[in-house]
């Protein structure tokens, strides 16, 4: 699998250059899949790739701090804004002027922030398992529990170990949990959200893909996104959880929804 170097990354401000590992499949219009907070392997794109490879070049980078990309001692703050900056630098390094961004969980927040920062670079965004409210009261116990990653289920640990390596996988989980606990520690931020109060300024074609049973979604969170993005296409899959693209019962439906949404791009 290929690597590419970028001169600097906001996610790894103390390292230069930064080495980004990525997966590359298919041919066609660039579609960049941005993984969630535990990295790629826990919620992989494998079930989706065959539906998109005929018409899209699917690119799946490991962000700095994840997988085989440059490791870090801590994730930079603000986490999602830094991730958006690295995503644009990744496109620059590959000579890609414009791409579709499909983000999952933290990756969805990063995709939205990238589209806000550089709408001319983003043909469309798919925001799956999107977070909005920075307070996330219902998730505090979850993130506090991840500070000690030994509590995770063995199958999850196996995927994390395979993705990030023995030993370092624990650091990834701890750093992700601490990044979110820092976000939760500032609920009175003037914006009150993860977008600096700018989510309503999103102008690129937007699909919000969500599971009705997503445990990381706060009451009223999706309603707030609907009010801010009346032009967006919403699909809430009844019974799906945090990762519809990777859930056996919903992977096929997710692919059909996203392909239909992206037809105008092609």
């Amino acid at each position: 699998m290929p690597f590419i170097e970028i001169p600097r990354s906001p996610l790894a401000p103390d390292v230069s250059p930064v080495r980004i590992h990525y997966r590359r499949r298919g041919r066609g219009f660039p579609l960049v899949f941005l993984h969630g907070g535990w990295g790629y392997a826990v919620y992989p794109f494998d079930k989706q790739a065959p539906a998109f490879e005929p018409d899209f070049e699917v690119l799946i980078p490991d962000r700095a701090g994840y997988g085989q990309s440059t490791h870090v001692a801590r994730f930079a703050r603000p986490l999602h804004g830094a991730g958006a900056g690295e995503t644009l630098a990744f496109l620059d390094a590959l000579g890609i002027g414009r791409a579709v961004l499909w983000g999952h969980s933290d990756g969805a927040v990063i995709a939205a922030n990238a589209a806000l920062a550089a709408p001319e670079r983003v043909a469309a965004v798919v925001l799956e398992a999107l977070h909005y409210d920075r307070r996330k009261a219902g998730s505090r116990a979850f993130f506090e529990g991840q500070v000690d990653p030994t509590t995770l289920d063995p199958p999850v640990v196996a995927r994390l170990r395979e993705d990030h390596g023995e030993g370092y996988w624990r650091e990834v989980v701890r750093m992700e949990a601490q990044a979110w606990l820092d976000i939760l520690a500032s609920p009175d931020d003037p914006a009150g959200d993860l977008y600096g109060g700018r989510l309503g300024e999103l102008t690129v074609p937007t699909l919000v893909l969500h599971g009705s049973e997503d445990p990381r979604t706060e009451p009223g969170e999706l309603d707030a996104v609907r009010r801010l993005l009346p032009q967006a296409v919403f699909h809430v899959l009844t019974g799906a959880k945090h990762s519809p693209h990777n859930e056996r019962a919903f992977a096929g439906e997710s692919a059909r929804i996203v392909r239909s949404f992206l037809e105008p791009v092609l």
Side-chain angles (χ1 to χ4, degrees):
M1 293 183 183
F3 291 83
I4 196 162
E5 286 189 350
I6 57 177
R8 299 198 67 83
S9 168
L11 278 175
D14 300 325
V15 182
S16 181
V18 175
R19 194 170 187 238
I20 300 295
H21 166 255
Y22 65 102
R23 301 151 189 87
R24 193 171 206 160
R25 305 173 181 176
R27 300 175 66 87
F29 194 88
L31 187 161
V32 181
F33 180 80
L34 302 174
H35 63 71
W38 282 352
Y40 174 70
V42 175
Y43 300 112
F45 197 71
D46 298 351
K47 294 184 177 69
Q48 299 295 320
F52 293 91
E53 288 174 9
D55 301 298
F56 291 90
E57 181 181 32
V58 180
L59 301 161
I60 308 172
D62 291 332
R63 288 192 294 278
Y66 291 90
Q68 297 180 54
S69 292
T70 296
H71 290 181
V72 299
R74 70 186 294 270
F75 290 141
R77 311 291 193 270
L79 176 66
H80 303 105
E86 181 179 280
T87 299
L88 296 172
F90 173 72
L91 294 180
D92 289 342
L94 290 177
I96 295 173
R98 204 158 169 260
V100 171
L101 301 182
W102 179 340
H104 169 246
S105 194
D106 273 359
V109 183
I110 289 169
N113 273 288
L116 287 167
E120 72 283 359
R121 307 291 303 278
V122 181
V125 287
V126 177
L127 307 178
E128 180 187 359
L130 180 69
H131 304 287
Y132 171 73
D133 189 345
R134 68 184 300 118
R135 290 168 292 189
K136 288 282 183 186
S139 291
R140 178 176 293 277
F142 172 80
F143 292 121
E144 289 174 341
Q146 304 321 305
V147 175
D148 176 13
T150 60
T151 61
L152 295 176
D153 292 336
V156 173
V157 170
R159 290 192 289 272
L160 289 166
R161 182 181 287 116
E162 178 184 0
D163 198 8
H164 309 298
E166 184 61 52
Y168 184 67
W169 71 267
R170 296 178 179 85
E171 296 308 309
V172 170
V173 174
R174 289 192 188 104
M175 290 188 296
E176 166 71 8
Q178 190 57 59
W180 267 101
L181 289 172
D182 290 350
I183 291 170
L184 269 57
S186 57
D188 297 326
D189 181 279
D193 61 42
L194 298 166
Y195 309 92
R198 297 186 58 216
L199 186 61
E201 299 173 21
L202 194 61
T203 57
V204 306
T206 301
L207 168 65
V208 177
L209 181 67
H210 215 84
S212 67
E213 306 305 310
D214 190 334
R216 301 280 70 81
T217 303
E218 300 290 315
E221 203 167 9
L222 276 185
D223 291 336
V225 175
R226 286 182 189 274
R227 288 194 297 271
L228 288 167
L229 299 177
Q231 77 282 10
V233 177
F234 277 76
H235 279 276
V236 179
L237 301 178
T238 303
K241 297 181 181 178
H242 187 57
S243 180
H245 80 266
N246 187 58
E247 295 170 25
R248 184 185 301 273
F250 300 98
E253 186 176 1
S254 298
R256 289 191 293 273
I257 289 169
V258 176
R259 275 211 58 110
S260 176
F261 169 72
L262 292 179
E263 284 301 326
V265 175
L266 294 174

